[in-house]
Amino acid sequence: MTEEILSARLEKIRKELNEASGGKYPVPRLIAVTKTRPAEDILLLEKLGISEIGENRVQELREKLPELEGHFRIHLIGRLQRNKVRYIAGSVDMIQSVDSVPLAEEISRRALEAERRIPILIEVNPAGEEQKGGVRPDEVRPLISAIRRLDGIRIRGLMAVMPLTEDSDLLRRLFTGMRELYEQLREEALPGTEIEELSMGMSGDYRLAAECGATMVRVGSAIFGPRN
Ligand SMILES: *Cc1c(COP(=O)(O)O)cnc(C)c1O
């Protein structure tokens, strides 16, 4: 991987994000998804203006952490097992994949041990797909009510994992529905919440997500090339 290639791809993505948000919404922040990529490639991004990265596996993150810590804000974006929380509670800047009360309770407990408060997002599975992480949109409020008083966490918004589909009308409906839910929760401003983030859009659909009001997009293969 060379800096020239990365630079050209980032420039293209940033231009598209600018165009897609079209002045209607602020341009979303670009979170570089660095799973499966070696630390030496990831570090090239720092000079190119990337300050936030996403990793989806605890074990892999732990291995790369010594080289990455201090260089980037680190988001955990993948499915998180409760028994792994303790390994990352001291180091991650945000956990985007919270979809159950027991998981939130464990993050709270481990955050308090680490004397931190960890920002979290509620992971939503807007199409209600089986065997995917995330709660259905109608389960978001009950989950927030159940966990918003926990110490050690702060609910900062929503993260969506979309179905793998080429159907852009469907995607647009789902993205728009997520934006509406996000705006309602912002207005409700429940104690224990500080709703500022809507994490949606990946390599295949970040333009559409930007058009529909994402505050951050999570992009991996459009930056680094296909994963094998
Ligand atoms: C891998 C991954 C991404 C990025 O996927 P690309 O298609 O490579 O951009 C985004 N979000 C989550 C949760 C992921 O696991």
Side-chain angles (χ1 to χ4, degrees):
M1 190 90 305
T2 70
E3 196 175 315
E4 287 70 32
I5 294 176
L6 290 174
S7 171
R9 289 181 182 155
L10 287 174
E11 192 176 333
K12 171 174 182 284
I13 295 166
R14 286 178 171 132
K15 186 159 166 279
E16 289 173 336
L17 289 173
N18 266 301
E19 286 167 2
S21 42
K24 183 175 179 198
Y25 297 109
V27 182
R29 305 202 306 289
L30 177 57
I31 312 295
V33 175
T34 51
K35 63 188 183 199
T36 76
R37 317 296 177 175
E40 59 173 349
D41 286 356
I42 302 170
L43 286 166
L44 293 174
L45 296 176
E46 194 179 19
K47 268 191 276 173
L48 301 172
I50 293 289
S51 57
E52 297 179 272
I53 62 172
E55 284 278 338
N56 75 331
R57 288 177 50 228
V58 169
Q59 180 58 33
E60 185 185 341
L61 174 57
R62 286 179 76 195
E63 285 163 15
K64 294 191 281 192
L65 197 61
E67 288 168 271
L68 300 179
E69 225 174 0
H71 295 275
F72 303 98
R73 289 175 51 77
I74 299 175
H75 298 253
L76 191 81
I77 60 173
R79 226 167 183 189
L80 178 57
Q81 290 170 292
R82 267 185 292 162
N83 61 5
K84 303 261 173 74
V85 172
R86 62 196 156 108
Y87 297 120
I88 50 142
S91 54
V92 292
D93 295 285
M94 178 175 274
I95 298 178
Q96 298 204 359
S97 43
V98 177
D99 62 357
S100 77
V101 176
L103 177 58
E105 286 173 343
E106 178 65 9
I107 295 169
S108 162
R109 180 161 43 240
R110 297 299 178 176
L112 290 173
E113 271 176 20
E115 301 185 343
R116 312 180 56 206
R117 170 136 65 176
I118 301 180
I120 66 164
L121 303 183
I122 305 295
E123 182 178 345
V124 186
N125 172 355
E129 292 171 284
E130 297 292 326
Q131 97 243 121
K132 240 190 194 170
V135 298
R136 291 193 319 265
D138 63 315
E139 296 169 324
V140 169
R141 280 194 178 74
L143 176 57
I144 289 178
S145 304
I147 66 174
R148 69 185 171 82
R149 290 191 181 80
L150 291 171
D151 289 326
I153 63 171
R154 172 75 88 180
I155 303 168
R156 300 297 302 274
L158 305 174
M159 182 259 233
V161 181
M162 292 293 162
L164 267 184
T165 172
E166 308 270 284
D167 182 346
S168 57
D169 291 336
L170 171 64
L171 285 173
R172 182 183 296 277
R173 273 202 307 282
L174 296 173
F175 281 139
T176 303
M178 287 294 303
R179 177 72 199 194
E180 285 166 7
L181 181 55
Y182 161 80
E183 286 179 7
Q184 289 162 10
L185 293 168
R186 263 173 84 85
E187 276 175 29
E188 288 164 30
L190 293 170
T193 72
E194 200 174 337
I195 307 294
E196 287 173 354
E197 299 291 0
L198 178 57
S199 169
M200 58 184 192
M202 310 189 349
S203 291
D205 54 14
Y206 58 79
R207 298 168 203 77
L208 195 52
E211 212 180 304
C212 298
T215 68
M216 52 170 109
V217 294
R218 310 179 306 269
V219 178
S221 39
I223 298 175
F224 290 105
R227 277 180 298 274
N228 38 34

